[in-house]
Amino acid sequence: MDDFYGSRVDALEEIWAVWGELGAGLDEQQWRAESRCPGWDVAAIFAHHSLMPVAFDTPAELPGPGSIDRVCTAAEALRGFNEPDGLAHTLADTVADQAAAESVSCTPDELTDRFRVRGANAVRKLRSAPPEVVAPWGSTGRMITLAEGVRIVLLEATIHLLDVLRALELPPELVPATALAETAALLAELPPPVDFIEAAAGRSTASPFPILR
């Protein structure tokens, strides 16, 4: 298994374990705490991100030989997803409605088990899967390797865990350091390099941020 891929799967296992442990200790008031994501409480964020371990624990239909025109990197997929007319904007209301519905239809134990049980199953499958295998990335129409897909899932797990921790007034240090480092590295790949460097170095007042919806 590729060293980078293996370390990222390790990081995903670690952060999903934090999600599972955190969810197991929440009371009803904490589940319903409002987050900084408009209209989303903690349960909705859990419901939204918990679809990731479920998806990776579910057999996927892979494209046949010769049916792939182009494979995107994680950065390219995220840029396209977050363009003004990208799915991050056009499907925002649908995603929010789905998260709200899931958070009501699932019990806290069910949401937590998506990380503890389905997440553990997904990690085992990821460890035995070839990182170069290519599959569609959700409903984006883009093709991406498993190795790059894991990078996106790790970023989503990190950002949404921070959303949960801030809503509960818990320290962000609960996010594993490797997940933070991987997420920061991927985010740095998204904006134009010159814009990012000059803004980060204080050479420009024009900021390329935010780069994700």
Side-chain angles (χ1 to χ4, degrees):
M1 182 164 55
D2 176 86
D3 287 345
F4 286 112
Y5 176 71
S7 66
R8 286 164 180 158
V9 172
D10 289 344
L12 189 59
E13 179 180 35
E14 186 179 18
I15 195 169
W16 277 351
V18 174
W19 277 88
E21 184 176 349
L22 180 63
L26 299 182
D27 60 28
E28 178 62 25
Q29 184 177 359
Q30 289 173 310
W31 279 108
R32 296 305 164 193
E34 289 300 316
S35 78
R36 59 191 176 186
C37 303
W40 290 37
D41 59 15
V42 166
I45 297 175
F46 262 80
H48 171 68
H49 184 61
S50 67
L51 294 176
M52 288 291 189
V54 171
F56 275 79
D57 186 34
T58 303
E61 183 176 343
L62 301 179
S67 62
I68 301 170
D69 294 327
R70 183 174 180 276
V71 179
C72 293
T73 65
E76 289 169 335
L78 286 171
R79 283 193 210 104
F81 190 74
N82 286 277
E83 289 173 351
D85 60 348
L87 295 181
H89 299 275
T90 60
L91 289 182
D93 290 342
T94 300
V95 171
D97 290 344
Q98 181 188 36
E102 284 275 317
S103 72
V104 172
S105 64
C106 295
T107 67
D109 285 345
E110 288 172 333
L111 293 177
T112 301
D113 281 348
R114 287 183 177 180
F115 294 100
R116 289 186 151 183
V117 179
R118 302 298 296 273
N121 290 341
V123 166
R124 283 193 292 271
K125 292 176 181 179
L126 288 169
R127 291 196 198 287
S128 62
E132 67 276 6
V133 68
V134 175
W137 184 252
S139 57
T140 66
R142 292 177 171 83
M143 305 301 293
I144 192 169
T145 65
L146 186 58
E148 291 294 286
V150 166
R151 297 186 74 197
I152 297 177
V153 178
L154 189 52
L155 173 143
E156 292 280 343
T158 301
I159 292 174
H160 285 310
L161 182 55
L162 286 169
D163 290 333
V164 169
L165 295 175
R166 296 300 192 186
L168 298 174
E169 298 183 352
L170 294 173
E173 288 78 14
L174 290 175
V175 182
T178 305
L180 289 171
E182 287 286 347
T183 298
L186 179 52
L187 288 172
E189 294 179 24
L190 300 186
V194 171
D195 293 349
F196 173 74
I197 291 168
E198 292 190 332
R203 265 66 173 176
S204 171
T205 57
S207 173
F209 303 112
I211 49 179
L212 295 181
R213 188 185 188 284

